[in-house]
Amino acid sequence: MHIKDIDTPAVLIDLERVEANLRRAQDYADAHNLPLRPHVKTHKLPEMARKQMALGANGITCQKIGEAEAMADGGLTDIFLPYNILGTSKLDRLVDLHSRIRLSVTADSAVTVAGYSARFDAAEPLNVLVECDTGAGRCGVQTPEEAVALARQIEDAPGLIFGGLMTYPPKGDIAKADTWLHKAKAALESADLPPKVISSGGSPDLYRAAEGTATTEYRPGTYIYSDRMQVAFGLGTLDDCALTVKATVVSRPNADRAVLDSGSKALAADAVPAPHKGHGHLVEYPNAVITALSEEHAVVDLSACTDKPALGDMVRVIPNHACVVTNLFDMVYLVRGDNVEREAEITSRGNLR
């Protein structure tokens, strides 16, 4: 199939760009002796996870149990779930998943640790990392002292093993997070609880990750496809973006306006940091601005364009946030150049539990 034959809206994945992005990241990691544990939330495709593993990743990261179950079904056997798992039904599934693969999780509270401890035993203990808030203001213990106290609770629980520390640091401030992690590491070592792993992540700082000298593994996600937001954060250029949404011009109400058949249900609604504008980048019309999204329409301002699309023309949009777009589609087209190699099912689409 040629890409011109694909009906719209549709997601196209440029395999040459994917392979270049993966190789560049793995080469950086290898050069700095920093193992990668890629986050699969961006692609949600077991075959992409297997590509990452084949290049040298030491495992994968999933955000929710459903995502991890789909990856295990797809043959992935070493999965990290950096999320607080709470509730009977989720813990039931966690026990089942743990029986199938090598699994690690996180906790940032005594309640979460107690839940794990009640379900696992010393014969097959669960590896648990302490999540640390190193400045991003999301989940995580707030101080190195709290990290030690929670690590001690994990270590003392008969069904658990203290595996180390995990953080999702603030963008652009590696030094702040590194200082926090070094303090926690020293405190843990003084308490005779040396962390086996100190896991950090985030694609925007991927190519500076080695500056975090406490970190022993890194969890990038969006780097595999990149997107307009990552470019705004400094991760490469638009030429590195592997995911595009193919769309059709379904209306031309006036000379300076076009409307695409790909609204918020295809492009997502994430904004990009100023001075960047709009809800995506039109590859064929780089001066166009997607000014508004409704559910099924994208309104495009063409006033800065010399050439303008006609009614019925097809365009490709680099979205602001590729990860969300992946979760909006049942399948994607894997392409090389203008040719479609195959379709691929998003096996964990909507698996938010």
PDB file of all heavy atoms in Angstrom, residues 82-117:
ATOM      1  N   PRO A  82       6.385   2.018  37.600  1.00  0.00           N
ATOM      2  CA  PRO A  82       6.649   3.093  38.560  1.00  0.00           C
ATOM      3  C   PRO A  82       5.371   3.809  38.979  1.00  0.00           C
ATOM      4  O   PRO A  82       5.143   4.985  38.682  1.00  0.00           O
ATOM      5  CB  PRO A  82       7.586   4.017  37.780  1.00  0.00           C
ATOM      6  CG  PRO A  82       7.158   3.853  36.360  1.00  0.00           C
ATOM      7  CD  PRO A  82       6.713   2.426  36.225  1.00  0.00           C
ATOM      8  N   TYR A  83       4.520   3.080  39.690  1.00  0.00           N
ATOM      9  CA  TYR A  83       3.203   3.603  40.027  1.00  0.00           C
ATOM     10  C   TYR A  83       2.746   2.973  41.335  1.00  0.00           C
ATOM     11  O   TYR A  83       3.031   1.805  41.601  1.00  0.00           O
ATOM     12  CB  TYR A  83       2.201   3.245  38.914  1.00  0.00           C
ATOM     13  CG  TYR A  83       1.071   4.228  38.760  1.00  0.00           C
ATOM     14  CD1 TYR A  83       1.221   5.381  37.995  1.00  0.00           C
ATOM     15  CD2 TYR A  83      -0.149   4.011  39.390  1.00  0.00           C
ATOM     16  CE1 TYR A  83       0.189   6.290  37.849  1.00  0.00           C
ATOM     17  CE2 TYR A  83      -1.190   4.915  39.260  1.00  0.00           C
ATOM     18  CZ  TYR A  83      -1.017   6.054  38.485  1.00  0.00           C
ATOM     19  OH  TYR A  83      -2.049   6.961  38.348  1.00  0.00           O
ATOM     20  N   ASN A  84       2.032   3.746  42.155  1.00  0.00           N
ATOM     21  CA  ASN A  84       1.454   3.200  43.374  1.00  0.00           C
ATOM     22  C   ASN A  84       0.268   2.310  43.013  1.00  0.00           C
ATOM     23  O   ASN A  84      -0.725   2.795  42.440  1.00  0.00           O
ATOM     24  CB  ASN A  84       0.976   4.330  44.286  1.00  0.00           C
ATOM     25  CG  ASN A  84       2.105   5.066  44.967  1.00  0.00           C
ATOM     26  OD1 ASN A  84       2.798   4.519  45.820  1.00  0.00           O
ATOM     27  ND2 ASN A  84       2.309   6.320  44.592  1.00  0.00           N
ATOM     28  N   ILE A  85       0.340   1.028  43.329  1.00  0.00           N
ATOM     29  CA  ILE A  85      -0.724   0.075  43.021  1.00  0.00           C
ATOM     30  C   ILE A  85      -1.561  -0.131  44.283  1.00  0.00           C
ATOM     31  O   ILE A  85      -1.080  -0.653  45.291  1.00  0.00           O
ATOM     32  CB  ILE A  85      -0.151  -1.277  42.544  1.00  0.00           C
ATOM     33  CG1 ILE A  85       0.871  -1.058  41.413  1.00  0.00           C
ATOM     34  CG2 ILE A  85      -1.281  -2.192  42.104  1.00  0.00           C
ATOM     35  CD1 ILE A  85       0.319  -0.400  40.176  1.00  0.00           C
ATOM     36  N   LEU A  86      -2.829   0.266  44.200  1.00  0.00           N
ATOM     37  CA  LEU A  86      -3.718   0.212  45.357  1.00  0.00           C
ATOM     38  C   LEU A  86      -5.028  -0.474  44.987  1.00  0.00           C
ATOM     39  O   LEU A  86      -5.494  -0.359  43.849  1.00  0.00           O
ATOM     40  CB  LEU A  86      -4.029   1.625  45.863  1.00  0.00           C
ATOM     41  CG  LEU A  86      -2.831   2.462  46.351  1.00  0.00           C
ATOM     42  CD1 LEU A  86      -3.224   3.924  46.465  1.00  0.00           C
ATOM     43  CD2 LEU A  86      -2.332   1.942  47.689  1.00  0.00           C
ATOM     44  N   GLY A  87      -5.641  -1.174  45.936  1.00  0.00           N
ATOM     45  CA  GLY A  87      -6.950  -1.782  45.726  1.00  0.00           C
ATOM     46  C   GLY A  87      -6.868  -3.267  45.451  1.00  0.00           C
ATOM     47  O   GLY A  87      -5.928  -3.760  44.823  1.00  0.00           O
ATOM     48  N   THR A  88      -7.889  -3.993  45.899  1.00  0.00           N
ATOM     49  CA  THR A  88      -7.883  -5.455  45.826  1.00  0.00           C
ATOM     50  C   THR A  88      -7.744  -5.969  44.398  1.00  0.00           C
ATOM     51  O   THR A  88      -6.937  -6.859  44.124  1.00  0.00           O
ATOM     52  CB  THR A  88      -9.171  -6.013  46.453  1.00  0.00           C
ATOM     53  OG1 THR A  88      -9.235  -5.601  47.827  1.00  0.00           O
ATOM     54  CG2 THR A  88      -9.192  -7.532  46.391  1.00  0.00           C
ATOM     55  N   SER A  89      -8.550  -5.443  43.482  1.00  0.00           N
ATOM     56  CA  SER A  89      -8.530  -5.978  42.119  1.00  0.00           C
ATOM     57  C   SER A  89      -7.186  -5.739  41.447  1.00  0.00           C
ATOM     58  O   SER A  89      -6.664  -6.628  40.752  1.00  0.00           O
ATOM     59  CB  SER A  89      -9.657  -5.365  41.288  1.00  0.00           C
ATOM     60  OG  SER A  89      -9.484  -3.964  41.141  1.00  0.00           O
ATOM     61  N   LYS A  90      -6.609  -4.579  41.657  1.00  0.00           N
ATOM     62  CA  LYS A  90      -5.305  -4.299  41.037  1.00  0.00           C
ATOM     63  C   LYS A  90      -4.204  -5.165  41.650  1.00  0.00           C
ATOM     64  O   LYS A  90      -3.311  -5.647  40.946  1.00  0.00           O
ATOM     65  CB  LYS A  90      -4.965  -2.819  41.160  1.00  0.00           C
ATOM     66  CG  LYS A  90      -5.776  -1.912  40.236  1.00  0.00           C
ATOM     67  CD  LYS A  90      -5.291  -0.472  40.319  1.00  0.00           C
ATOM     68  CE  LYS A  90      -5.968   0.404  39.277  1.00  0.00           C
ATOM     69  NZ  LYS A  90      -7.414   0.515  39.471  1.00  0.00           N
ATOM     70  N   LEU A  91      -4.270  -5.365  42.958  1.00  0.00           N
ATOM     71  CA  LEU A  91      -3.262  -6.218  43.596  1.00  0.00           C
ATOM     72  C   LEU A  91      -3.411  -7.671  43.153  1.00  0.00           C
ATOM     73  O   LEU A  91      -2.405  -8.381  43.004  1.00  0.00           O
ATOM     74  CB  LEU A  91      -3.350  -6.088  45.117  1.00  0.00           C
ATOM     75  CG  LEU A  91      -2.849  -4.748  45.676  1.00  0.00           C
ATOM     76  CD1 LEU A  91      -3.228  -4.608  47.144  1.00  0.00           C
ATOM     77  CD2 LEU A  91      -1.343  -4.594  45.483  1.00  0.00           C
ATOM     78  N   ASP A  92      -4.643  -8.117  42.920  1.00  0.00           N
ATOM     79  CA  ASP A  92      -4.846  -9.458  42.361  1.00  0.00           C
ATOM     80  C   ASP A  92      -4.120  -9.592  41.025  1.00  0.00           C
ATOM     81  O   ASP A  92      -3.433 -10.595  40.764  1.00  0.00           O
ATOM     82  CB  ASP A  92      -6.333  -9.735  42.153  1.00  0.00           C
ATOM     83  CG  ASP A  92      -7.089  -9.983  43.445  1.00  0.00           C
ATOM     84  OD1 ASP A  92      -6.443 -10.220  44.486  1.00  0.00           O
ATOM     85  OD2 ASP A  92      -8.341  -9.930  43.406  1.00  0.00           O
ATOM     86  N   ARG A  93      -4.285  -8.602  40.178  1.00  0.00           N
ATOM     87  CA  ARG A  93      -3.647  -8.637  38.857  1.00  0.00           C
ATOM     88  C   ARG A  93      -2.128  -8.515  38.976  1.00  0.00           C
ATOM     89  O   ARG A  93      -1.385  -9.128  38.201  1.00  0.00           O
ATOM     90  CB  ARG A  93      -4.205  -7.506  37.985  1.00  0.00           C
ATOM     91  CG  ARG A  93      -5.668  -7.726  37.597  1.00  0.00           C
ATOM     92  CD  ARG A  93      -6.320  -6.451  37.119  1.00  0.00           C
ATOM     93  NE  ARG A  93      -5.661  -5.933  35.920  1.00  0.00           N
ATOM     94  CZ  ARG A  93      -5.751  -4.669  35.526  1.00  0.00           C
ATOM     95  NH1 ARG A  93      -6.434  -3.774  36.244  1.00  0.00           N
ATOM     96  NH2 ARG A  93      -5.126  -4.282  34.413  1.00  0.00           N
ATOM     97  N   LEU A  94      -1.674  -7.742  39.952  1.00  0.00           N
ATOM     98  CA  LEU A  94      -0.232  -7.598  40.147  1.00  0.00           C
ATOM     99  C   LEU A  94       0.392  -8.936  40.538  1.00  0.00           C
ATOM    100  O   LEU A  94       1.464  -9.296  40.043  1.00  0.00           O
ATOM    101  CB  LEU A  94       0.042  -6.547  41.224  1.00  0.00           C
ATOM    102  CG  LEU A  94       1.494  -6.083  41.346  1.00  0.00           C
ATOM    103  CD1 LEU A  94       1.883  -5.239  40.138  1.00  0.00           C
ATOM    104  CD2 LEU A  94       1.702  -5.279  42.628  1.00  0.00           C
ATOM    105  N   VAL A  95      -0.263  -9.666  41.424  1.00  0.00           N
ATOM    106  CA  VAL A  95       0.226 -10.984  41.819  1.00  0.00           C
ATOM    107  C   VAL A  95       0.307 -11.907  40.604  1.00  0.00           C
ATOM    108  O   VAL A  95       1.294 -12.634  40.412  1.00  0.00           O
ATOM    109  CB  VAL A  95      -0.675 -11.590  42.915  1.00  0.00           C
ATOM    110  CG1 VAL A  95      -0.325 -13.052  43.155  1.00  0.00           C
ATOM    111  CG2 VAL A  95      -0.549 -10.790  44.205  1.00  0.00           C
ATOM    112  N   ASP A  96      -0.726 -11.888  39.784  1.00  0.00           N
ATOM    113  CA  ASP A  96      -0.740 -12.736  38.591  1.00  0.00           C
ATOM    114  C   ASP A  96       0.376 -12.336  37.628  1.00  0.00           C
ATOM    115  O   ASP A  96       1.080 -13.199  37.081  1.00  0.00           O
ATOM    116  CB  ASP A  96      -2.099 -12.635  37.903  1.00  0.00           C
ATOM    117  CG  ASP A  96      -2.170 -13.507  36.654  1.00  0.00           C
ATOM    118  OD1 ASP A  96      -2.119 -14.741  36.797  1.00  0.00           O
ATOM    119  OD2 ASP A  96      -2.258 -12.956  35.536  1.00  0.00           O
ATOM    120  N   LEU A  97       0.538 -11.056  37.418  1.00  0.00           N
ATOM    121  CA  LEU A  97       1.589 -10.581  36.509  1.00  0.00           C
ATOM    122  C   LEU A  97       2.975 -10.960  37.035  1.00  0.00           C
ATOM    123  O   LEU A  97       3.852 -11.389  36.275  1.00  0.00           O
ATOM    124  CB  LEU A  97       1.477  -9.067  36.339  1.00  0.00           C
ATOM    125  CG  LEU A  97       2.407  -8.401  35.325  1.00  0.00           C
ATOM    126  CD1 LEU A  97       2.150  -8.917  33.916  1.00  0.00           C
ATOM    127  CD2 LEU A  97       2.231  -6.881  35.365  1.00  0.00           C
ATOM    128  N   HIS A  98       3.166 -10.833  38.338  1.00  0.00           N
ATOM    129  CA  HIS A  98       4.445 -11.174  38.967  1.00  0.00           C
ATOM    130  C   HIS A  98       4.792 -12.645  38.777  1.00  0.00           C
ATOM    131  O   HIS A  98       5.970 -13.016  38.716  1.00  0.00           O
ATOM    132  CB  HIS A  98       4.363 -10.827  40.459  1.00  0.00           C
ATOM    133  CG  HIS A  98       5.609 -11.092  41.230  1.00  0.00           C
ATOM    134  ND1 HIS A  98       5.775 -12.209  42.013  1.00  0.00           N
ATOM    135  CD2 HIS A  98       6.761 -10.384  41.338  1.00  0.00           C
ATOM    136  CE1 HIS A  98       6.969 -12.178  42.580  1.00  0.00           C
ATOM    137  NE2 HIS A  98       7.590 -11.084  42.193  1.00  0.00           N
ATOM    138  N   SER A  99       3.773 -13.485  38.665  1.00  0.00           N
ATOM    139  CA  SER A  99       4.026 -14.919  38.473  1.00  0.00           C
ATOM    140  C   SER A  99       4.495 -15.227  37.047  1.00  0.00           C
ATOM    141  O   SER A  99       5.023 -16.314  36.799  1.00  0.00           O
ATOM    142  CB  SER A  99       2.755 -15.724  38.775  1.00  0.00           C
ATOM    143  OG  SER A  99       1.764 -15.530  37.776  1.00  0.00           O
ATOM    144  N   ARG A 100       4.319 -14.268  36.127  1.00  0.00           N
ATOM    145  CA  ARG A 100       4.628 -14.484  34.710  1.00  0.00           C
ATOM    146  C   ARG A 100       5.964 -13.898  34.288  1.00  0.00           C
ATOM    147  O   ARG A 100       6.611 -14.413  33.366  1.00  0.00           O
ATOM    148  CB  ARG A 100       3.532 -13.860  33.839  1.00  0.00           C
ATOM    149  CG  ARG A 100       2.151 -14.429  34.050  1.00  0.00           C
ATOM    150  CD  ARG A 100       1.098 -13.560  33.373  1.00  0.00           C
ATOM    151  NE  ARG A 100       1.358 -13.386  31.939  1.00  0.00           N
ATOM    152  CZ  ARG A 100       0.775 -12.469  31.192  1.00  0.00           C
ATOM    153  NH1 ARG A 100      -0.113 -11.641  31.727  1.00  0.00           N
ATOM    154  NH2 ARG A 100       1.054 -12.384  29.916  1.00  0.00           N
ATOM    155  N   ILE A 101       6.374 -12.787  34.904  1.00  0.00           N
ATOM    156  CA  ILE A 101       7.537 -12.040  34.430  1.00  0.00           C
ATOM    157  C   ILE A 101       8.370 -11.544  35.610  1.00  0.00           C
ATOM    158  O   ILE A 101       7.956 -11.646  36.766  1.00  0.00           O
ATOM    159  CB  ILE A 101       7.117 -10.817  33.578  1.00  0.00           C
ATOM    160  CG1 ILE A 101       6.300  -9.843  34.457  1.00  0.00           C
ATOM    161  CG2 ILE A 101       6.330 -11.241  32.338  1.00  0.00           C
ATOM    162  CD1 ILE A 101       6.070  -8.494  33.828  1.00  0.00           C
ATOM    163  N   ARG A 102       9.499 -10.969  35.287  1.00  0.00           N
ATOM    164  CA  ARG A 102      10.282 -10.246  36.288  1.00  0.00           C
ATOM    165  C   ARG A 102       9.676  -8.857  36.429  1.00  0.00           C
ATOM    166  O   ARG A 102       9.605  -8.099  35.460  1.00  0.00           O
ATOM    167  CB  ARG A 102      11.746 -10.152  35.857  1.00  0.00           C
ATOM    168  CG  ARG A 102      12.628  -9.415  36.846  1.00  0.00           C
ATOM    169  CD  ARG A 102      14.072  -9.395  36.385  1.00  0.00           C
ATOM    170  NE  ARG A 102      14.912  -8.653  37.307  1.00  0.00           N
ATOM    171  CZ  ARG A 102      16.217  -8.443  37.130  1.00  0.00           C
ATOM    172  NH1 ARG A 102      16.831  -8.940  36.060  1.00  0.00           N
ATOM    173  NH2 ARG A 102      16.899  -7.763  38.017  1.00  0.00           N
ATOM    174  N   LEU A 103       9.248  -8.500  37.639  1.00  0.00           N
ATOM    175  CA  LEU A 103       8.453  -7.300  37.843  1.00  0.00           C
ATOM    176  C   LEU A 103       8.991  -6.483  39.006  1.00  0.00           C
ATOM    177  O   LEU A 103       9.369  -7.026  40.043  1.00  0.00           O
ATOM    178  CB  LEU A 103       6.995  -7.701  38.128  1.00  0.00           C
ATOM    179  CG  LEU A 103       5.992  -6.583  38.376  1.00  0.00           C
ATOM    180  CD1 LEU A 103       5.762  -5.780  37.109  1.00  0.00           C
ATOM    181  CD2 LEU A 103       4.669  -7.167  38.879  1.00  0.00           C
ATOM    182  N   SER A 104       9.007  -5.163  38.822  1.00  0.00           N
ATOM    183  CA  SER A 104       9.326  -4.233  39.896  1.00  0.00           C
ATOM    184  C   SER A 104       8.246  -3.161  39.942  1.00  0.00           C
ATOM    185  O   SER A 104       7.650  -2.822  38.912  1.00  0.00           O
ATOM    186  CB  SER A 104      10.692  -3.567  39.674  1.00  0.00           C
ATOM    187  OG  SER A 104      11.725  -4.518  39.647  1.00  0.00           O
ATOM    188  N   VAL A 105       8.010  -2.617  41.134  1.00  0.00           N
ATOM    189  CA  VAL A 105       7.014  -1.564  41.308  1.00  0.00           C
ATOM    190  C   VAL A 105       7.614  -0.467  42.180  1.00  0.00           C
ATOM    191  O   VAL A 105       8.751  -0.571  42.641  1.00  0.00           O
ATOM    192  CB  VAL A 105       5.728  -2.105  41.958  1.00  0.00           C
ATOM    193  CG1 VAL A 105       5.071  -3.157  41.083  1.00  0.00           C
ATOM    194  CG2 VAL A 105       6.008  -2.673  43.352  1.00  0.00           C
ATOM    195  N   THR A 106       6.799   0.590  42.412  1.00  0.00           N
ATOM    196  CA  THR A 106       7.232   1.648  43.324  1.00  0.00           C
ATOM    197  C   THR A 106       6.184   1.865  44.408  1.00  0.00           C
ATOM    198  O   THR A 106       5.040   1.413  44.314  1.00  0.00           O
ATOM    199  CB  THR A 106       7.450   2.991  42.596  1.00  0.00           C
ATOM    200  OG1 THR A 106       6.246   3.357  41.924  1.00  0.00           O
ATOM    201  CG2 THR A 106       8.583   2.906  41.618  1.00  0.00           C
ATOM    202  N   ALA A 107       6.594   2.611  45.414  1.00  0.00           N
ATOM    203  CA  ALA A 107       5.704   3.054  46.482  1.00  0.00           C
ATOM    204  C   ALA A 107       6.224   4.375  47.014  1.00  0.00           C
ATOM    205  O   ALA A 107       7.431   4.627  47.003  1.00  0.00           O
ATOM    206  CB  ALA A 107       5.647   2.019  47.607  1.00  0.00           C
ATOM    207  N   ASP A 108       5.288   5.225  47.474  1.00  0.00           N
ATOM    208  CA  ASP A 108       5.729   6.446  48.150  1.00  0.00           C
ATOM    209  C   ASP A 108       5.007   6.625  49.490  1.00  0.00           C
ATOM    210  O   ASP A 108       5.045   7.707  50.067  1.00  0.00           O
ATOM    211  CB  ASP A 108       5.556   7.680  47.253  1.00  0.00           C
ATOM    212  CG  ASP A 108       4.102   8.084  47.028  1.00  0.00           C
ATOM    213  OD1 ASP A 108       3.195   7.367  47.489  1.00  0.00           O
ATOM    214  OD2 ASP A 108       3.870   9.119  46.374  1.00  0.00           O
ATOM    215  N   SER A 109       4.373   5.536  49.964  1.00  0.00           N
ATOM    216  CA  SER A 109       3.665   5.635  51.241  1.00  0.00           C
ATOM    217  C   SER A 109       3.666   4.295  51.948  1.00  0.00           C
ATOM    218  O   SER A 109       3.784   3.229  51.326  1.00  0.00           O
ATOM    219  CB  SER A 109       2.211   6.077  51.025  1.00  0.00           C
ATOM    220  OG  SER A 109       1.450   5.017  50.461  1.00  0.00           O
ATOM    221  N   ALA A 110       3.484   4.367  53.261  1.00  0.00           N
ATOM    222  CA  ALA A 110       3.388   3.142  54.069  1.00  0.00           C
ATOM    223  C   ALA A 110       2.147   2.346  53.703  1.00  0.00           C
ATOM    224  O   ALA A 110       2.144   1.113  53.766  1.00  0.00           O
ATOM    225  CB  ALA A 110       3.370   3.507  55.550  1.00  0.00           C
ATOM    226  N   VAL A 111       1.092   3.032  53.283  1.00  0.00           N
ATOM    227  CA  VAL A 111      -0.144   2.346  52.901  1.00  0.00           C
ATOM    228  C   VAL A 111       0.095   1.464  51.676  1.00  0.00           C
ATOM    229  O   VAL A 111      -0.329   0.301  51.635  1.00  0.00           O
ATOM    230  CB  VAL A 111      -1.258   3.376  52.615  1.00  0.00           C
ATOM    231  CG1 VAL A 111      -2.479   2.694  52.013  1.00  0.00           C
ATOM    232  CG2 VAL A 111      -1.641   4.110  53.897  1.00  0.00           C
ATOM    233  N   THR A 112       0.784   2.007  50.684  1.00  0.00           N
ATOM    234  CA  THR A 112       1.077   1.225  49.479  1.00  0.00           C
ATOM    235  C   THR A 112       1.957   0.030  49.814  1.00  0.00           C
ATOM    236  O   THR A 112       1.715  -1.088  49.348  1.00  0.00           O
ATOM    237  CB  THR A 112       1.766   2.109  48.422  1.00  0.00           C
ATOM    238  OG1 THR A 112       0.930   3.227  48.132  1.00  0.00           O
ATOM    239  CG2 THR A 112       2.022   1.335  47.150  1.00  0.00           C
ATOM    240  N   VAL A 113       2.966   0.248  50.636  1.00  0.00           N
ATOM    241  CA  VAL A 113       3.862  -0.854  51.021  1.00  0.00           C
ATOM    242  C   VAL A 113       3.104  -1.931  51.766  1.00  0.00           C
ATOM    243  O   VAL A 113       3.279  -3.130  51.517  1.00  0.00           O
ATOM    244  CB  VAL A 113       5.032  -0.316  51.868  1.00  0.00           C
ATOM    245  CG1 VAL A 113       5.850  -1.472  52.447  1.00  0.00           C
ATOM    246  CG2 VAL A 113       5.922   0.586  51.031  1.00  0.00           C
ATOM    247  N   ALA A 114       2.222  -1.541  52.666  1.00  0.00           N
ATOM    248  CA  ALA A 114       1.443  -2.522  53.423  1.00  0.00           C
ATOM    249  C   ALA A 114       0.553  -3.348  52.499  1.00  0.00           C
ATOM    250  O   ALA A 114       0.379  -4.557  52.700  1.00  0.00           O
ATOM    251  CB  ALA A 114       0.606  -1.816  54.481  1.00  0.00           C
ATOM    252  N   GLY A 115      -0.005  -2.705  51.480  1.00  0.00           N
ATOM    253  CA  GLY A 115      -0.819  -3.437  50.512  1.00  0.00           C
ATOM    254  C   GLY A 115      -0.025  -4.490  49.774  1.00  0.00           C
ATOM    255  O   GLY A 115      -0.481  -5.629  49.586  1.00  0.00           O
ATOM    256  N   TYR A 116       1.178  -4.125  49.338  1.00  0.00           N
ATOM    257  CA  TYR A 116       2.050  -5.101  48.675  1.00  0.00           C
ATOM    258  C   TYR A 116       2.402  -6.240  49.628  1.00  0.00           C
ATOM    259  O   TYR A 116       2.330  -7.429  49.270  1.00  0.00           O
ATOM    260  CB  TYR A 116       3.349  -4.436  48.217  1.00  0.00           C
ATOM    261  CG  TYR A 116       3.229  -3.378  47.158  1.00  0.00           C
ATOM    262  CD1 TYR A 116       4.166  -2.345  47.085  1.00  0.00           C
ATOM    263  CD2 TYR A 116       2.211  -3.395  46.205  1.00  0.00           C
ATOM    264  CE1 TYR A 116       4.096  -1.370  46.108  1.00  0.00           C
ATOM    265  CE2 TYR A 116       2.130  -2.424  45.225  1.00  0.00           C
ATOM    266  CZ  TYR A 116       3.082  -1.404  45.183  1.00  0.00           C
ATOM    267  OH  TYR A 116       3.020  -0.437  44.224  1.00  0.00           O
ATOM    268  N   SER A 117       2.786  -5.868  50.841  1.00  0.00           N
ATOM    269  CA  SER A 117       3.268  -6.867  51.795  1.00  0.00           C
ATOM    270  C   SER A 117       2.201  -7.906  52.134  1.00  0.00           C
ATOM    271  O   SER A 117       2.512  -9.082  52.357  1.00  0.00           O
ATOM    272  CB  SER A 117       3.739  -6.161  53.070  1.00  0.00           C
ATOM    273  OG  SER A 117       4.201  -7.089  54.019  1.00  0.00           O
TER     274      SER A 117
END
